[in-house]
């Protein structure tokens, strides 16, 4: 492939600053919303911040990918977990060492990828977020709310901070330098 353009120091400072402000915003909103049962903070959002601020022109960072990827992957996690809770995985012939939880995790990731390919919404942090539903009990207790919280809502906050960050950067630098094509 082509060599990637090296970011300027200004780009890097705005990207790092935007991620910093984004996570401060996530923490502030989460402090109010999480106690009410609507968390907006989860580890896969750190990966999203890297994509949004360090690779804003990457195809996987299109807003459609972020929204549709999170919604579909998290919906798959909720649906498949509900099926597992109803016993649909009980008695499945599993090779040595593979557990029902491991099977569920694999089904969620595979289903999320299948959905994202067919919908054109590939977004790796969404797949990571979906796996949280299997592994983190407080997240699983969200039930259907998990489709929106924390991943999609948190992603929305980071996208808003990205828009403001790059608008401020463009205004202050009058559009000089920076990324080769505009982010979408």
């Amino acid at each position: 492939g082509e060599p990637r353009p090296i970011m300027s120091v200004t780009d890097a400072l705005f990207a790092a600053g935007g991620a910093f402000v984004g996570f401060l915003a996530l923490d502030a909103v989460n402090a109010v919303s999480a106690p009410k049962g609507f968390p907006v903070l989860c580890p896969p959002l750190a990966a999203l911040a890297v994509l949004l601020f360090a690779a804003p022109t990457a195809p996987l960072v299109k807003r459609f990918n972020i929204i549709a990827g999170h919604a579909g992957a998290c919906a798959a996690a909720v649906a498949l977990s509900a099926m597992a809770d109803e016993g649909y995985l009980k008695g499945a012939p599993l090779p040595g060492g593979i557990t029902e939880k491991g099977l569920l995790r694999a089904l969620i990731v595979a289903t999320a990828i299948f959905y994202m390919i067919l919908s054109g919404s590939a977004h790796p942090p969404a797949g990571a977020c979906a796996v949280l539903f299997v592994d983190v009990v407080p997240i699983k207790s969200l039930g259907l709310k998990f489709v929106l919280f924390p991943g999609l809502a948190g992603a929305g906050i980071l996208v808003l901070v990205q828009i403001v960050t790059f608008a401020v950067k463009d205004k202050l630098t009058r559009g000089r330098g920076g990324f080769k094509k505009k982010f979408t």
Side-chain angles (χ1 to χ4, degrees), residues 21-83:
V21 170
F23 265 79
L24 288 178
L26 284 170
D27 193 61
V29 172
N30 198 63
V32 175
S33 64
K36 296 175 181 168
F38 301 99
V40 297
L41 193 53
C42 63
L45 293 176
L48 175 58
V50 171
L51 290 169
L52 282 171
F53 293 99
T57 60
L60 300 176
V61 191
K62 291 179 182 170
R63 292 191 188 113
F64 173 78
N65 292 54
I66 295 169
I67 295 165
H70 274 282
C74 293
V78 171
L80 290 168
S81 286
M83 290 174 64

Side-chain angles (χ1 to χ4, degrees), residues 34-167:
K36 296 175 181 168
F38 301 99
V40 297
L41 193 53
C42 63
L45 293 176
L48 175 58
V50 171
L51 290 169
L52 282 171
F53 293 99
T57 60
L60 300 176
V61 191
K62 291 179 182 170
R63 292 191 188 113
F64 173 78
N65 292 54
I66 295 169
I67 295 165
H70 274 282
C74 293
V78 171
L80 290 168
S81 286
M83 290 174 64
D85 291 346
E86 292 294 320
Y88 284 99
L89 300 182
K90 295 273 186 240
L94 301 173
I98 297 177
T99 64
E100 287 179 13
K101 193 174 197 177
L103 176 61
L104 177 59
R105 202 178 289 113
L107 283 169
I108 288 170
V109 171
T111 302
I113 290 170
F114 180 79
Y115 159 78
M116 287 190 261
I117 288 170
L118 291 181
S119 66
S121 65
H123 187 64
C129 194
V131 171
L132 290 177
F133 197 74
V134 176
D135 293 327
V136 181
V137 174
I139 294 278
K140 188 168 184 179
S141 69
L142 292 170
L144 195 54
K145 287 192 296 186
F146 177 69
V147 175
L148 299 175
F149 301 96
L152 193 55
I157 291 168
L158 287 176
V159 167
L160 288 174
V161 172
Q162 182 215 38
I163 290 167
V164 170
T165 299
F166 288 128

